[in-house]
């Protein structure tokens, strides 16, 4: 059987927790917390990739802006689905959206440098998040394996008790069960 780490470092606490000491409900809560954190990190990386792709596309579009294309007709987007005809007049200067509705005039070289810096920044941010994402995956895997072990132990313990002392168990009929289901109960605990 594969060995699992039994210590998990909790992110917002300066302590680690031994998952072998946790009960199933506690392990389930920890797994749910890790699921939420995994979702957050995955969504963050996906958003960063979308923004990075837009900067890469913008940088690639700068390659079209050269002297040989000056004066050519093109379609200028007003919205994502509406374009107007236009002519490429100045291929050396352009307006670059720098965020929150602000535009700055830049030369083609300055614009390429701007996009390169943005792409590099986003790449570094994704590289920072990736190890945390992998760590959370490993932690979730360890918790799930521990849950599986605990369930197997409880199942084996219940079967062993039944085999060792079958007279200690009694069959509780469906009429005594709150959900109308037949169940087994430990001696003296039957309703």
């Amino acid at each position: 059987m594969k060995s699992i780490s039994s210590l998990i470092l909790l992110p917002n606490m300066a302590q680690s927790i031994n998952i072998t000491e946790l009960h199933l409900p506690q392990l389930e809560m920890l797994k749910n917390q890790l699921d939420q954190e995994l979702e957050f990190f995955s969504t963050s990386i996906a958003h960063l990739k979308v923004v990075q792709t837009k900067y890469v596309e913008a940088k690639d579009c700068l390659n079209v802006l050269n002297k040989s294309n000056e004066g050519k007709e093109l379609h200028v987007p007003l919205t994502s689905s509406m374009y107007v005809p236009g002519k490429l007049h100045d291929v050396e200067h352009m307006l670059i959206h720098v965020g929150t509705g602000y535009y700055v005039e830049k030369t083609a070289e300055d614009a390429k440098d701007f996009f390169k810096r943005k792409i590099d920044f986003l790449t570094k941010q994704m590289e920072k998040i990736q190890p945390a994402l992998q760590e959370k995956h490993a932690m979730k895997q360890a918790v799930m394996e521990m849950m599986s072990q605990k369930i197997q132990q409880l199942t084996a313990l219940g079967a062993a008790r039944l085999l060792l002392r079958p007279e200690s168990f009694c069959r509780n009929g469906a009429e005594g069960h709150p959900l109308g289901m037949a169940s087994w109960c430990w001696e003296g605990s039957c309703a």
Side-chain angles (χ1 to χ4, degrees), residues 51-60 112-126:
V51 174
Q52 184 186 44
T53 300
K54 289 182 180 185
Y55 282 122
V56 169
E57 289 172 355
K59 186 179 176 199
D60 290 344
K112 285 180 185 178
D113 184 53
F114 173 80
F115 292 134
K116 182 184 180 322
R117 284 193 323 266
K118 288 293 190 178
I119 293 165
D120 291 344
F121 174 77
L122 292 168
T123 301
K124 287 177 185 172
Q125 295 306 311
M126 286 186 280

Side-chain angles (χ1 to χ4, degrees), residues 20-74:
T20 60
E21 296 174 359
L22 297 178
H23 299 290
L24 274 174
Q26 294 167 319
L27 287 169
E28 181 68 27
M29 287 173 44
L30 183 56
K31 182 189 143 317
N32 290 341
Q33 178 185 344
L34 290 169
D35 282 339
Q36 290 174 353
E37 291 173 4
L38 281 167
E39 178 67 27
F40 172 76
F41 286 131
S42 297
T43 302
S44 296
I45 286 177
H47 285 36
L48 289 172
K49 282 183 181 178
V50 167
V51 174
Q52 184 186 44
T53 300
K54 289 182 180 185
Y55 282 122
V56 169
E57 289 172 355
K59 186 179 176 199
D60 290 344
C61 286
L62 292 175
N63 296 330
V64 175
L65 297 177
N66 55 44
K67 289 286 186 190
S68 65
N69 287 330
E70 197 166 13
K72 289 190 177 179
E73 290 191 14
L74 65 133

Side-chain angles (χ1 to χ4, degrees), residues 41-190:
F41 286 131
S42 297
T43 302
S44 296
I45 286 177
H47 285 36
L48 289 172
K49 282 183 181 178
V50 167
V51 174
Q52 184 186 44
T53 300
K54 289 182 180 185
Y55 282 122
V56 169
E57 289 172 355
K59 186 179 176 199
D60 290 344
C61 286
L62 292 175
N63 296 330
V64 175
L65 297 177
N66 55 44
K67 289 286 186 190
S68 65
N69 287 330
E70 197 166 13
K72 289 190 177 179
E73 290 191 14
L74 65 133
H75 294 288
V76 179
L78 292 180
T79 68
S80 61
S81 61
M82 186 168 65
Y83 297 84
V84 295
K87 282 191 178 184
L88 191 55
H89 174 65
D90 182 6
V91 294
E92 289 300 316
H93 298 89
M94 58 214 59
L95 290 177
I96 304 295
H97 183 246
V98 293
T100 62
Y102 290 98
Y103 293 84
V104 175
E105 185 176 334
K106 291 190 177 281
T107 65
E109 287 306 311
D110 288 342
K112 285 180 185 178
D113 184 53
F114 173 80
F115 292 134
K116 182 184 180 322
R117 284 193 323 266
K118 288 293 190 178
I119 293 165
D120 291 344
F121 174 77
L122 292 168
T123 301
K124 287 177 185 172
Q125 295 306 311
M126 286 186 280
E127 288 171 354
K128 287 179 185 178
I129 295 172
Q130 195 64 38
L133 182 65
Q134 291 170 346
E135 180 184 353
K136 297 296 178 186
H137 272 295
M139 291 168 67
K140 180 182 172 189
Q141 184 64 33
V143 168
M144 290 176 58
E145 287 179 21
M146 185 54 63
M147 288 175 70
S148 177
Q149 285 181 7
K150 296 243 179 198
I151 290 170
Q152 289 174 359
Q153 289 171 354
L154 289 173
T155 303
L157 182 62
R161 283 186 179 161
L162 186 58
L163 289 174
L164 292 175
R165 296 186 58 206
E167 69 280 356
S168 299
F169 289 91
C170 64
R171 180 84 168 144
N172 187 3
E175 64 279 352
H177 193 278
L179 298 176
M181 301 167 51
S183 63
W184 290 95
C185 60
W186 188 251
E187 181 178 323
S189 66
C190 295

Side-chain angles (χ1 to χ4, degrees), residues 4-10 16-21 139 142:
I4 61 172
S5 172
S6 61
L7 292 177
I8 291 185
L9 182 64
L10 298 176
S16 59
I17 186 165
N18 187 346
I19 61 174
T20 60
E21 296 174 359
M139 291 168 67

